[in-house]
Amino acid sequence: MQNLEWSKLPFGYVKTNYNVRCVWKNGKWGEIEVSDSEYINIHIASTALHYGQEAFEGMKAYRGKDGKVRLFRWEENCKRLKDSAAGIYMAQVDDKLFFDMVKKVVELNADFIPPYGTGASLYIRPLLYGSGAKVGVHPADEYTFLIFVTPVGPYFKEGFNPVKIAIIRDSDRAAPLGTGTMKVGGNYAASFRGLEKAHEAGYGSPMYLDCREKKYIDEIGAANFFAIKDNTYITPKSTSILPSITNKSLEEVAKYIGLKVERRPVDVAELPTFEEAGACGTAAVISPIGEIVDIDENKHYVYCPDGKPGKWSTKMYETLVGIQYGDIPDPFGWITILENI
Ligand code: PLP
Ligand code: COI
């Protein structure tokens, strides 16, 4: 076990022992390689560098009270990586290669899996990119798939405490029929302007609206948005947001704890009517939203007047995190235990 201040870890990069890599060329994947280097050797004309032909994933391994290591819905991350790869014409990573590499990299870095009870987890970052050279605008004919891991704490410094969000209208992260539903790097570069604007105004994260009309809520930085109203879990339906696995899971959890569920366009004018609001994602888990500011229209919406997360957000958080760490039974079949780690 590494000697880290586990309960004080931010969401950041910590060097671990190994990463795993695999190269696709001549139409097939090669052998899985283990590397102790944090660097890659990349062709100066690779499509990843020039044309943004790359996609990534984000998932976590959790150490339970029973000492067991759990993965949460890894098949969904693999499926989304396939969708991202298809969307930008990259080679496909199949379930077996994906799982074998995840298992191997977690095993090899077992002493970086945070101990139970510290609130931290091992973040797993699969990355697929065009490593072949092209100068004309074409997909590569060689791809590299690698996975590194890093122990992390909460994405927002607030943890499971209310965050402040700013509505951004003067930049978009993804077009309605663009790459917003894929986890490709370009979306994140495109989100930096909004992120910086929110930070400069003293807010934790931007809220993006649909870019056609600026009427409907899209998502919150690197997380999906949800709200609670009249015993209903409400979350945006949009062609420019990432299909969050956490959000999809919270829809199930919400039904399980007695809420109705609506996935539909969510008009920004509904903001004052919500009883609770939150951001959700692998990194964000559930981050309750305490306040949303509409800078352009000089409006403020407050959701946690007493500074505490709302009752439904708390219940969903406890259920989701309870399943992930193995504290409560998993009625949904979402957990894969990695044996002998
Ligand atoms: N939206 C964006 C833009 C993201 O980057 C993420 C993180 O993966 C999410 C939403 C949440 O998705 P998930 O719950 O699958 O991690
Ligand atoms: C995640 O929630 O896994 C993310 O990828 C968010 C961000 C760090 C990109």
Side-chain angles (χ1 to χ4, degrees):
M1 177 67 64
Q2 295 288 321
N3 187 18
L4 295 173
E5 281 200 275
W6 301 105
S7 53
K8 295 205 178 121
L9 280 177
F11 189 91
Y13 181 78
V14 172
K15 183 182 185 313
T16 59
N17 295 331
Y18 300 104
N19 54 80
V20 291
R21 304 160 180 216
C22 193
V23 174
W24 186 93
K25 63 177 155 198
N26 302 323
K28 58 176 196 305
W29 290 104
E31 296 296 315
I32 300 172
E33 294 159 32
V34 174
S35 173
D36 61 4
S37 168
E38 294 167 284
Y39 295 90
I40 50 174
N41 202 5
I42 190 162
H43 196 287
I44 54 173
S46 70
T47 58
L49 290 182
H50 294 263
Y51 304 127
Q53 199 189 21
E54 68 89 23
F56 67 99
E57 271 304 323
M59 49 197 283
K60 284 175 173 171
Y62 308 84
R63 170 99 55 197
K65 200 189 271 180
D66 54 8
K68 293 191 171 145
V69 177
R70 290 168 171 79
L71 292 179
F72 182 73
R73 305 192 81 175
W74 69 267
E75 305 89 338
E76 293 288 331
N77 292 92
C78 182
K79 181 173 175 302
R80 192 169 61 192
L81 184 64
K82 287 179 194 161
D83 292 344
S84 298
I88 56 168
Y89 291 86
M90 296 197 286
Q92 288 282 327
V93 174
D94 61 42
D95 287 19
K96 182 171 174 354
L97 180 64
F98 187 91
F99 182 74
D100 287 351
M101 285 178 63
V102 167
K103 185 164 188 297
K104 190 161 204 137
V105 74
V106 174
E107 272 168 10
L108 288 167
N109 296 292
D111 56 346
F112 283 94
I113 307 171
Y116 175 80
T118 57
S121 54
L122 188 73
Y123 187 68
I124 303 168
R125 176 54 72 84
L127 173 69
L128 174 65
Y129 60 92
S131 42
K134 289 278 175 205
V135 177
V137 180
H138 299 288
D141 16 65
E142 183 195 295
Y143 293 88
T144 300
F145 180 50
L146 66 82
I147 312 184
F148 72 81
V149 295
T150 184
V152 294
Y155 190 61
F156 293 113
K157 66 177 185 333
E158 291 84 354
F160 186 61
N161 283 307
V163 293
K164 290 161 68 180
I165 303 296
I167 298 176
I168 298 297
R169 287 192 181 75
D170 55 4
S171 67
D172 297 312
R173 68 173 282 284
L177 298 178
T179 54
T181 55
M182 304 162 208
K183 204 162 166 65
V184 300
N187 296 342
Y188 296 81
S191 75
F192 288 160
R193 275 204 296 156
L195 182 67
E196 278 314 300
K197 187 168 175 184
H199 282 173
E200 272 164 26
Y203 289 79
S205 210
M207 171 184 274
Y208 291 103
L209 305 181
D210 82 280
C211 47
R212 202 180 271 127
E213 294 180 85
K214 298 275 183 284
K215 181 172 162 57
Y216 300 103
I217 297 171
D218 253 2
E219 54 186 337
I220 307 274
N224 274 185
F225 173 80
F226 71 86
I228 308 282
K229 173 166 81 173
D230 300 333
N231 292 323
T232 308
Y233 177 91
I234 301 164
T235 193
K237 186 178 165 77
S238 161
T239 58
S240 46
I241 65 176
L242 194 76
S244 156
I245 297 157
T246 313
N247 195 2
K248 187 170 161 180
S249 308
L250 289 178
E251 289 178 305
E252 296 302 312
V253 168
K255 285 185 217 154
Y256 185 71
I257 62 174
L259 292 170
K260 287 176 274 184
V261 170
E262 289 178 8
R263 187 180 277 264
R264 57 167 172 80
V266 181
D267 196 317
V268 75
E270 280 185 70
L271 281 174
T273 69
F274 295 141
E275 294 150 22
E276 296 179 33
C280 64
T282 300
V285 195
I286 289 183
S287 295
I289 297 175
E291 181 188 330
I292 299 177
V293 64
D294 192 333
I295 305 172
D296 305 315
E297 302 201 349
N298 196 20
K299 287 182 186 150
H300 274 82
Y301 308 103
V302 174
Y303 299 101
C304 307
D306 56 357
K308 294 204 190 86
K311 78 165 185 200
W312 289 111
S313 301
T314 305
K315 201 148 193 205
M316 287 192 300
Y317 178 87
E318 284 167 356
T319 309
L320 179 71
V321 172
I323 292 172
Q324 289 170 333
Y325 283 95
D327 290 334
I328 57 175
D330 164 22
F332 306 102
W334 287 339
I335 295 298
T336 301
I337 292 181
L338 294 178
E339 301 294 347
N340 307 321
I341 299 187

